[in-house]
Amino acid sequence: MQAATLPISAGWLWIQNGFQLFKRQPMAMFFWSLMTGFLITVSYLIPLFGQMLLIAVTPMLTFITLSACRNISNGKPMLLTMWLEPLREQSTRRRLLALGLAYLIFCLAGGFFATLPFLDSLMSAIDVNGAIDETALVTAMRGPFITFALLYVVISALFWHAPALIGWHNIKMSQALFFSMVACWRNKLPFLAYGISWAAIFFAIQMAGSFITALGISPGAVQVLLTPVNIIVAAVLYCSFYPAYHSVFGANYTARG
């Protein structure tokens, strides 16, 4: 798989193209964003194991999202029965689940290696009686969080394109991870612009919420107002995954289905 090298402006273009995809079938992608948010919420109701399960099924959810966006791009209406069609083949489900388990292992390993150098400072926040100094703990957690964030950039690059490469091109996992990493490295500037743009968008939404609250509207009412906005923005985010993939690997786009 030969990955294209794109200019930095491609990062913003992916978001614009994602918005265009969303506008073609907004209710379908609103539904998917709502369902994804529901799954994330449910995962937090089951401490630790819920989050681990969510990480393990993330490649499947990503592949469903990409397949839906491909259908929308091709002018096919996304009916309710079509959402799980990308997983109808047992081999595809098995390979994506294996990818999910690898993703989970990488994330757990990243968390372990991010925490290990700071273990002494973390333990110092707990006294001999087992009481936790919350201020000291928050300070001690900064190092592991920053380290994990840096490691997660590498993990994300490995797995970013892998679901599509495995699901559509029948590429084995090791090759998919390698191709994904190479593609992300070649397009590091577009992905940097992409990440900064999304960070700015979500920050602007939060600032808008704070501004509305400052006008005297209750936080509960502001939450009600912003919830559909957040769902729509998340839907556009999901839609932008497909243009990012297709623009990088479009020259070799011989996907099945």
Side-chain angles (χ1 to χ4, degrees):
M1 297 292 294
Q2 184 69 29
T5 302
L6 305 173
I8 189 172
S9 58
W12 177 246
L13 188 61
W14 295 338
I15 298 176
Q16 290 179 301
N17 290 341
F19 182 61
Q20 294 301 320
L21 277 177
F22 173 78
K23 289 199 302 182
R24 293 175 70 172
Q25 293 191 44
M27 292 309 299
M29 293 311 299
F30 186 90
F31 161 79
W32 182 243
S33 180
L34 191 63
M35 288 301 299
T36 304
F38 173 75
L39 291 175
I40 294 172
T41 301
V42 170
S43 73
Y44 280 98
L45 298 177
I46 310 172
L48 187 59
F49 291 103
Q51 289 86 59
M52 291 175 64
L53 179 60
L54 180 65
I55 292 172
V57 300
T58 292
M60 285 188 176
L61 296 176
T62 301
F63 187 58
I64 291 172
T65 303
L66 290 169
S67 298
C69 291
R70 183 180 68 169
N71 286 333
I72 293 173
S73 179
N74 292 335
K76 298 179 182 178
M78 279 303 300
L79 304 177
L80 190 61
T81 55
M82 296 172 63
W83 285 99
L84 294 181
E85 280 188 3
L87 304 179
R88 68 179 182 274
E89 294 185 11
Q90 184 179 2
S91 60
T92 301
R93 294 195 304 271
R94 185 173 61 250
R95 287 151 62 86
L96 288 174
L97 180 58
L99 180 66
L101 294 175
Y103 183 45
L104 175 61
I105 291 171
F106 271 76
C107 288
L108 291 175
F112 174 77
F113 287 112
T115 304
L116 191 61
F118 304 94
L119 198 56
D120 289 341
S121 60
L122 289 171
M123 294 303 296
S124 66
I126 306 175
D127 63 22
V128 293
N129 297 319
I132 299 176
D133 184 340
E134 294 184 2
T135 303
L137 182 62
V138 170
T139 302
M141 287 297 294
R142 290 175 184 171
F145 274 128
I146 294 173
T147 305
F148 180 75
L150 295 174
L151 290 174
Y152 189 70
V153 170
V154 178
I155 295 172
S156 295
L158 279 169
F159 288 87
W160 186 266
H161 295 298
L165 293 172
I166 287 175
W168 282 337
H169 299 281
N170 279 326
I171 295 175
K172 64 182 182 179
M173 186 192 303
S174 58
Q175 290 179 319
L177 296 176
F178 174 76
F179 291 147
S180 180
M181 174 63 80
V182 170
C184 289
W185 175 253
R186 287 184 176 179
N187 294 282
K188 51 188 175 294
L189 293 181
F191 274 109
L192 179 62
Y194 179 77
I196 292 175
S197 297
W198 275 119
I201 290 171
F202 283 107
F203 179 76
I205 293 173
Q206 294 302 314
M207 288 300 98
S210 299
F211 176 74
I212 296 173
T213 302
L215 294 177
I217 300 177
S218 68
V222 173
Q223 186 66 32
V224 171
L225 289 172
L226 290 184
T227 294
V229 174
N230 288 325
I231 294 173
I232 291 172
V233 172
V236 176
L237 169 65
Y238 300 148
C239 286
S240 68
F241 294 167
Y242 179 74
Y245 170 79
H246 192 266
S247 63
V248 172
F249 289 104
N252 297 290
Y253 194 74
T254 56
R256 299 177 297 117

